């Protein structure tokens, strides 16, 4: 007997959690935080529909918080089993989960100090200490597809998905499942990357499987026909001519590294002038180091640039900002410049005071 149930990432794009149950084991694939509207965020506070203490293992497709941010809460509720993920994902989780814990604590502290809570005392969903406890459970594996036993009768292989560093297709193999008892193979896509993107290798071809769970968040949309590199070239040249700033809201993990890589390429090609590039995100700085260190996921173009003096993930005049004060000082700078700020969209964070 094998059963697959969905406890997130359904009807909404966050909170991904998929539970596999067999006669011998219970394995959770992804452990995401619900994000967005209040009614979604409140789901994080509800009792989970399964006992965390009964889980034998957790498998992670990639490090983004909507796929991993519930892990510290799961540990707080009694889960102490292994968490299997790729090496690149483990590198990023060491950055993302403690940060998420700090944000939870800061939010609770803010609500208590300003008395904007309906509770007698606002509490964090979990703490930074819970996040570090979750990191102790990580079991990094190579994303070569080699199957690893994760629980009794259940194995998993991780393959490059090309979305962010460490992102993986996860092929779960269940022994003696199905009516014929011949076993079943379930492939979880996680979030998928594009082909021919900078830095990371392309997604691998999906292996044979009996069931496929595939990301469809943007399945009904077409990509912009303009090449992102050409668009960046056009905007930066226009800003340089007018001596004005370019403000780019950019996720700290994944998107910021791609933007920096493309700007550096355009500079090398003399397609744009060398302008100051301010990376306004301490997390982006840490994530960029993780990208640079994980050589097995880098594509051939990235590896070829490493042989040159200029690092692939540094522009010719790049300035990271390390504090809120330094971030605010950017608003007093003049002339043509690029500010890459820590926000995926113009909805919150440092990017707003720059705008």
């Amino acid at each position: 007997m094998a059963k697959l149930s969905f406890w997130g990432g359904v009807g909404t794009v966050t909170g991904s959690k998929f539970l596999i149950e067999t006669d011998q084991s219970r394995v959770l694939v992804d452990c995401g935080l619900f994000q967005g509207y209040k009614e979604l965020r409140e789901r994080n506070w509800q009792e989970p529909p399964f006992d965390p203490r009964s889980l034998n293992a957790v498998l992670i497709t990639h490090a983004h918080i909507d796929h991993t941010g519930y892990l510290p809460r799961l540990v707080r509720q009694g889960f102490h089993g292994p968490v299997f993920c790729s090496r690149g994902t483990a590198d990023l989780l060491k950055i993302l989960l403690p940060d998420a814990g700090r944000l939870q604590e800061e939010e609770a502290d803010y609500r208590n100090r300003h008395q904007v809570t309906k509770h007698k005392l606002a509490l964090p969903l979990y703490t930074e200490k819970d996040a570090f406890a979750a990191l102790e459970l990580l079991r990094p594996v190579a994303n070569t597809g080699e199957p690893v036993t994760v629980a009794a009768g259940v194995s998993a292989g991780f393959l490059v998905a090309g979305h962010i560093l460490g992102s993986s297709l996860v092929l779960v193999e269940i022994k003696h499942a199905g009516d014929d008892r011949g076993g079943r193979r379930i492939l979880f896509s996680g979030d998928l990357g594009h082909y021919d993107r900078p830095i990371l290798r392309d997604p691998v071809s999906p292996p044979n499987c009996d069931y496929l769970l595939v990301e469809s968040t943007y399945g009904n949309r077409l990509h912009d026909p303009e090449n992102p590199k050409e668009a960046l070239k056009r905007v930066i040249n226009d800003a340089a001519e007018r001596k004005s700033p370019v403000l780019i809201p950019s996720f700290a993990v994944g998107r910021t590294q791609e933007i920096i890589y493309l700007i550096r390429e355009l500079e090398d090609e003399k397609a744009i002038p060398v302008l100051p590039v301010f990376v306004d995100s301490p997390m982006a700085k840490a994530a960029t180091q993780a990208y640079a260190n994980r050589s097995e996921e880098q594509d051939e173009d990235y590896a070829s640039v490493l042989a040159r003096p200029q690092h692939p993930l540094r522009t010719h005049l790049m300035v990271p900002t390390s504090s809120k004060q330094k971030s605010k000082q950017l608003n007093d700078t003049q002339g043509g410049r690029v500010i890459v700020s820590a926000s995926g969209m113009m909805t919150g964070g440092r990017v707003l005071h720059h705008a």
Side-chain angles (χ1 to χ4, degrees):
M1 185 276 292
K3 176 184 175 184
L4 173 64
S5 53
F6 300 72
W7 302 109
V10 177
T12 175
V13 298
T14 65
S16 295
K17 300 180 193 72
F18 311 101
L19 181 62
I20 298 172
E21 299 173 89
T22 74
D23 295 332
Q24 299 175 283
S25 305
R26 303 183 93 207
V27 175
L28 189 68
V29 180
D30 279 344
C31 193
L33 203 66
F34 287 104
Q35 298 172 301
Y37 296 118
K38 183 179 179 182
E39 56 266 32
L40 286 175
R41 299 196 310 272
E42 286 179 343
R43 292 191 197 178
N44 297 316
W45 290 92
Q46 298 170 4
E47 287 298 312
F50 47 83
D51 182 358
R53 294 167 297 183
S54 72
L55 297 175
N56 298 100
V58 173
L59 312 179
I60 298 296
T61 61
H62 70 286
H64 277 149
I65 291 298
D66 58 326
H67 289 256
T68 65
Y70 195 80
L71 260 177
R73 180 74 171 175
L74 201 74
V75 171
R76 189 171 184 147
Q77 293 166 329
F79 172 71
H80 298 297
V83 178
F84 294 91
C85 63
S86 72
R87 292 167 183 164
T89 294
D91 291 345
L92 292 181
L93 286 179
K94 292 170 186 175
I95 301 167
L96 293 172
L97 290 186
D99 179 76
R102 284 192 297 273
L103 290 176
Q104 294 286 345
E105 293 183 81
E106 288 172 7
E107 174 71 11
D109 178 64
Y110 176 88
R111 291 183 174 278
N112 289 325
R113 283 190 291 107
H114 294 271
Q115 298 182 339
V116 286
T117 174
K118 62 182 179 181
H119 305 285
K120 185 176 180 181
L121 183 67
L123 298 173
L125 183 67
Y126 54 81
T127 65
E128 187 177 11
K129 183 178 179 181
D130 295 325
F132 281 116
L135 294 178
E136 291 293 321
L137 304 178
L138 296 184
R139 301 291 182 270
V141 299
N143 54 0
T144 57
E146 188 69 27
V148 176
T149 300
V150 298
V154 181
S155 64
F158 293 74
L159 296 139
V160 172
H163 173 56
I164 61 171
L165 180 70
S167 59
S168 305
L169 306 167
V170 179
L171 180 64
V172 178
E173 300 187 58
I174 306 169
K175 293 181 180 178
H176 312 304
D179 295 338
D180 58 1
R181 306 293 289 172
R184 289 293 180 267
R185 292 157 61 95
I186 308 174
L187 183 64
F188 296 85
S189 77
D191 287 0
L192 293 168
H194 305 166
Y195 292 95
D196 301 318
R197 285 172 63 180
I199 306 174
L200 297 178
R201 289 160 49 198
D202 286 345
V204 302
S205 298
N208 292 333
C209 58
D210 299 293
Y211 301 97
L212 171 64
L213 278 70
V214 65
E215 178 204 11
S216 58
T217 305
Y218 303 106
N220 62 342
R221 304 188 194 183
L222 297 176
H223 294 298
D224 192 313
E226 185 175 20
N227 183 296
K229 186 174 174 180
E230 288 300 313
L232 202 56
K233 171 185 170 182
R234 174 173 49 79
V235 170
I236 291 176
N237 278 326
D238 179 62
E241 186 176 334
R242 293 187 290 112
K243 296 182 171 53
S244 62
V246 176
L247 177 57
I248 305 175
S250 182
F251 291 116
V253 177
R255 190 61 50 81
T256 292
Q257 289 72 38
E258 290 184 7
I259 292 289
I260 296 302
Y261 185 93
L262 291 176
I263 292 174
R264 191 270 313 154
E265 262 195 342
L266 289 167
E267 290 176 346
D268 288 350
E269 294 165 5
K270 310 293 188 210
I272 60 171
V274 173
L275 298 179
V277 177
F278 300 96
V279 180
D280 189 21
S281 168
M283 179 183 287
K285 180 181 178 182
T288 298
Q289 188 60 52
Y291 267 71
N293 291 342
R294 193 52 63 190
S295 60
E296 69 267 26
E297 295 201 34
Q298 298 160 1
D299 63 18
E300 291 183 7
D301 289 342
Y302 184 99
S304 68
V305 179
L306 283 175
R308 306 177 200 166
Q310 183 67 29
H311 193 279
L313 293 179
R314 280 196 67 84
T315 68
H316 290 262
L317 190 53
M318 193 166 95
V319 183
T321 59
S322 56
S323 68
K324 290 181 180 178
Q325 186 61 33
K326 296 246 181 227
S327 174
K328 291 176 180 178
Q329 288 173 1
L330 294 183
N331 297 330
D332 299 324
T333 56
Q334 300 294 318
R337 60 206 184 276
V338 178
I339 300 173
V340 183
S341 192
S343 179
M345 293 159 281
M346 294 290 289
T347 55
R350 295 183 176 195
V351 72
L352 288 184
H353 73 74
H354 296 312

